[in-house]
């Protein structure tokens, strides 16, 4: 199915994409977008974390940012669910500008929910009535969690079926992302299984496989092989990686969209809580290391010790809703119920609106987040 066909819900208006760049209207939209990018005082780069279904929070953030004409995106570094949001957003912009990106993101998450509705991880009406806490005690989720602890994906999914592959192919024309006319620089992180090093896929390398590699949780999916190398989720080594935005983009402003809480007040005590906290710490560790490096460089510049080093001062920004996201359990990261995804989207929109109201005038001038307080 082509990306411009109706989504699984049958809503044509929600998924219609504008004519492509090869058409005259498409070229005009791209030219207008590029002029806006170059002239905008709010030109910044995005860093999008992964987090399974919680990536719908990032959808909401992006949906609100796209409504703001004072902001434009130069580059996006992303991992896992963040990588999916990134390629959908970039394709949507290329096809239909800001509105096209918003439609493409809505279409993508609607298709994710529809694909999940055919799977075994479904909450019953009674479980939905009792809210998100019921997910932890859902027989389907408990059974699936138990199975992944006993068997590897090579055993319980020998055919290596991944519904995300079909959804991405339906929504994104990856060939368009690999062209020089793509209006957004993309950097998708994956972890090389053999070397343990981060692999960053840039525009000319991005395919469905590279996105799936970035989102390949080893307990759920077989490693994704690309050019003879095997890859797991990029969150282990870069969630997301900041260095590509520093080296390859002109804008010095980086906006990190957080999905995984950095701090938790309660000590995890159940098995699932312990595993979840271990994953949060490990998936945030690479980002925190890069933040320490950025803080060190900033202090060198401020102290006048970097005059001859040609170092680049970065301006950091962050959007998060840790208080609200902490309320959702690890099981909810596999919950693609449409009502839940819309709730996460709305939380993301609210967080982005608050950030815009408080900080947009400072973009291009100064950081709006204190690295030492937030990350060190």
């Amino acid at each position: 199915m082509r990306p411009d066909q109706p989504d699984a819900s049958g809503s044509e208006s929600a998924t219609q994409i504008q004519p492509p760049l090869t058409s005259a209207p498409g070229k005009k939209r791209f030219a207008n977008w590029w002029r806006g990018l170059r002239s905008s005082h709010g030109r910044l780069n995005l860093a999008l974390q992964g987090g399974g279904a919680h990536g719908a929070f990032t959808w909401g953030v992006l949906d609100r940012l796209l409504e703001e004409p004072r902001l434009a995106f130069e580059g996006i570094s992303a991992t896992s669910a963040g990588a999916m949001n990134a390629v959908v957003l970039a394709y949507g912009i290329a096809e239909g500008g800001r509105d096209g990106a918003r439609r493409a993101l809505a279409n993508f998450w609607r298709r994710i929910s529809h694909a999940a509705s055919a799977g075994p991880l479904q909450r019953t009406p009674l479980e939905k009535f009792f809210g998100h806490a019921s997910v932890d005690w859902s027989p389907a989720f408990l059974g699936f969690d138990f199975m992944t602890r006993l068997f590897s994906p090579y055993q319980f999914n020998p055919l290596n079926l991944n519904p995300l592959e079909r959804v991405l192919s339906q929504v994104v024309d990856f060939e368009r992302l690999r062209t020089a006319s793509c209006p957004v620089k993309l950097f998708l992180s994956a972890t090389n299984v053999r070397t343990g090093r981060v692999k960053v896929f840039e525009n000319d390398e991005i395919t469905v496989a590279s996105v799936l590699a970035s989102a390949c949780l080893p307990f759920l999916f077989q490693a994704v092989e690309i050019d003879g190398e095997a890859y797991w989720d990029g969150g282990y080594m870069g969630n997301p990686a900041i260095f590509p935005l520093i080296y390859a983009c002109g804008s010095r402003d980086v906006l990190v969209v957080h999905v995984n809480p950095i701090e938790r007040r309660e000590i995890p005590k159940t098995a699932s809580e312990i595993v979840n906290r271990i994953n949060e710490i490990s998936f945030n560790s690479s980002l925190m290391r890069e933040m320490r490096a950025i803080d060190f460089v900033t202090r060198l510049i401020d102290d006048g010790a970097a005059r001859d080093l040609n170092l680049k001062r970065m301006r950091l920004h962050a959007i998060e809703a840790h208080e609200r996201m902490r309320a959702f359990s690890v099981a909810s990261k596999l919950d693609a119920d449409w009502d839940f995804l819309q709730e996460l989207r709305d939380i993301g929109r609210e967080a982005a609106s608050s950030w815009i109201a408080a900080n947009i005038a400072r973009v291009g001038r100064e950081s709006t987040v204190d690295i030492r307080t937030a990350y060190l």
Side-chain angles (χ1 to χ4, degrees), residues 167-185:
V167 173
L168 285 166
S169 298
Q170 290 173 333
V171 176
V172 178
D173 181 352
F174 284 88
E175 184 176 351
R176 194 170 302 284
L177 298 181
R178 296 192 294 270
T179 64
S181 61
C182 181
V184 181
K185 298 176 182 177

Side-chain angles (χ1 to χ4, degrees), residues 9-277:
S9 67
S11 174
E12 189 169 354
S13 60
T15 63
Q16 186 177 359
I17 298 296
Q18 297 293 328
L21 286 175
T22 51
S23 67
K27 291 179 180 178
K28 183 177 180 180
R29 275 191 300 274
F30 173 73
N32 290 339
W33 170 269
W34 183 247
R35 281 195 295 271
L37 174 65
R38 299 191 65 179
S39 63
S40 174
H41 295 295
R43 185 168 64 107
L44 49 73
N45 301 307
L46 299 175
L48 309 181
Q49 283 195 322
H54 291 187
F57 167 81
T58 302
W59 164 31
V61 171
L62 297 175
D63 189 65
R64 179 63 185 90
L65 294 179
L66 287 162
E67 290 180 341
E68 178 50 61
R70 292 172 290 177
L71 294 175
F73 314 131
E74 180 182 2
I76 305 177
S77 179
T79 297
S80 198
M84 298 182 190
N85 278 317
V87 297
V88 173
L89 179 140
Y91 176 66
I93 288 175
E95 290 290 274
R98 295 174 185 269
D99 290 340
R102 295 183 65 205
R103 287 194 297 270
L105 285 165
N107 182 20
F108 170 73
W109 285 100
R110 189 67 185 89
R111 287 179 184 269
I112 286 289
S113 179
H114 180 75
S117 67
L121 301 181
Q122 296 300 308
R123 284 186 291 160
T124 65
L126 182 62
E127 290 167 344
K128 289 185 180 182
F129 175 79
F130 283 105
H132 302 303
S134 68
V135 175
D136 291 346
W137 306 107
S138 165
F141 281 93
L142 289 172
F144 184 75
D145 180 65
F146 180 73
M147 182 178 65
T148 59
R149 295 175 189 270
L150 290 179
F151 304 101
S152 82
Y154 295 87
Q155 296 171 311
F156 67 73
N157 185 13
L159 298 179
N160 199 23
L161 302 177
N162 189 335
L164 295 174
E165 181 174 4
R166 183 169 181 267
V167 173
L168 285 166
S169 298
Q170 290 173 333
V171 176
V172 178
D173 181 352
F174 284 88
E175 184 176 351
R176 194 170 302 284
L177 298 181
R178 296 192 294 270
T179 64
S181 61
C182 181
V184 181
K185 298 176 182 177
L186 294 172
F187 310 94
L188 310 184
S189 295
T191 302
N192 187 304
V193 178
R194 296 184 179 91
T195 68
R197 297 173 181 171
V198 64
K199 164 65 178 177
V200 178
F201 295 95
E202 300 187 24
N203 288 67
D204 60 351
E205 304 173 284
I206 291 177
T207 62
V208 174
S210 56
V211 180
L212 295 178
S214 181
C216 180
L217 289 170
F219 299 108
L220 300 181
F221 303 109
Q222 297 181 24
V224 178
E225 294 199 13
I226 301 174
D227 296 331
E229 292 291 347
Y231 296 99
W232 280 340
D233 195 290
Y236 296 106
M237 296 304 296
N239 192 28
I242 305 298
F243 68 88
L245 302 175
I246 298 174
Y247 297 137
C249 295
S251 173
R252 300 188 180 200
D253 288 82
V254 175
L255 172 58
V256 182
V257 180
H258 288 278
V259 174
N260 303 300
I262 294 177
E263 295 183 4
R264 283 189 181 271
R265 297 183 183 90
E266 301 82 10
I267 301 299
K269 295 181 179 179
T270 68
S272 62
E273 289 174 346
I274 292 171
V275 171
N276 183 47
R277 189 56 185 151

